[in-house]
Amino acid sequence: MRQAQAIAQSVAAHSIRCIAYPVNFPNVSKNGLSWALHLAQQNHAELLLLHVVPPPTPIFELESPMKSEAELALSVLLANVETAGIKARGFLLTGTNSIDGQIVRAARLEQADLIVMGTRGRTGLSRLLVGSLACRVTTRAHCPVLVVPNR
C-alpha cells in the first residue's frame, strides 16, 4: 500500500474526483480493486464500477442470463464498496462496440479523472493473439490509466 500512497501523493496536484474501475465477473482482480478502493478513499473520489456484458452471438442468445448474473454480481460488489464508506455507482455496459471502446466511452461520459484496471499480465503468444484490454484502453483513454498486475 506504500506504492498506492506514493501514487496518491504524486497525483495530488491533479484533482481526482472520479475513478473508473472496469470489473470482469467472476474474475475480479482483487489487487486492482484494492488499488482503486485505496485511491478513492485517499482522494475522497467517487468510484465507477463498469462491467461490459458481451453482446449475444447469433448462435447463442445468452444475453439475458449473462446480464442477470452480472447485475447481481455488480450489486453485491457495489454494496461492499459502499460499506467501506466509498461513494460508488455501478454501470452495466452493453452494445456491439468493443469492450475497450465501451470502457473508454463510459469513463469519458462520466468524466472520470483516472481509470484503474487489473490485468492478468499475459505475455508471449497469448498476448500476441488475444491482445491486452488494458493496453487498448490505455491508448484510447482521455485520462491516465493505472494498470495493476494480479500478481
Side-chain angles (χ1 to χ4, degrees), residues 80-137:
N80 289 338
V81 168
E82 289 173 341
T83 299
I86 297 171
K87 182 179 176 187
R89 289 185 287 151
F91 293 88
L92 275 184
L93 309 173
T94 58
T96 57
N97 291 344
S98 64
I99 293 172
D100 54 303
Q102 290 189 56
I103 291 168
V104 169
R105 182 174 184 270
R108 187 180 320 109
L109 288 173
E110 295 300 321
Q111 301 177 345
D113 302 301
L114 176 68
I115 300 172
V116 177
M117 294 188 70
T119 182
R120 290 189 200 114
R122 285 191 176 115
T123 59
L125 186 59
S126 67
R127 166 100 187 248
L128 180 65
L129 295 174
V130 178
S132 167
L133 177 63
C135 184
R136 292 190 308 269
V137 168

Side-chain angles (χ1 to χ4, degrees), residues 63-86:
E63 181 177 1
S64 60
M66 288 176 70
K67 190 174 181 180
S68 299
E69 290 172 13
E71 285 173 343
L72 178 60
L74 188 60
S75 66
V76 168
L77 182 58
L78 194 56
N80 289 338
V81 168
E82 289 173 341
T83 299
I86 297 171

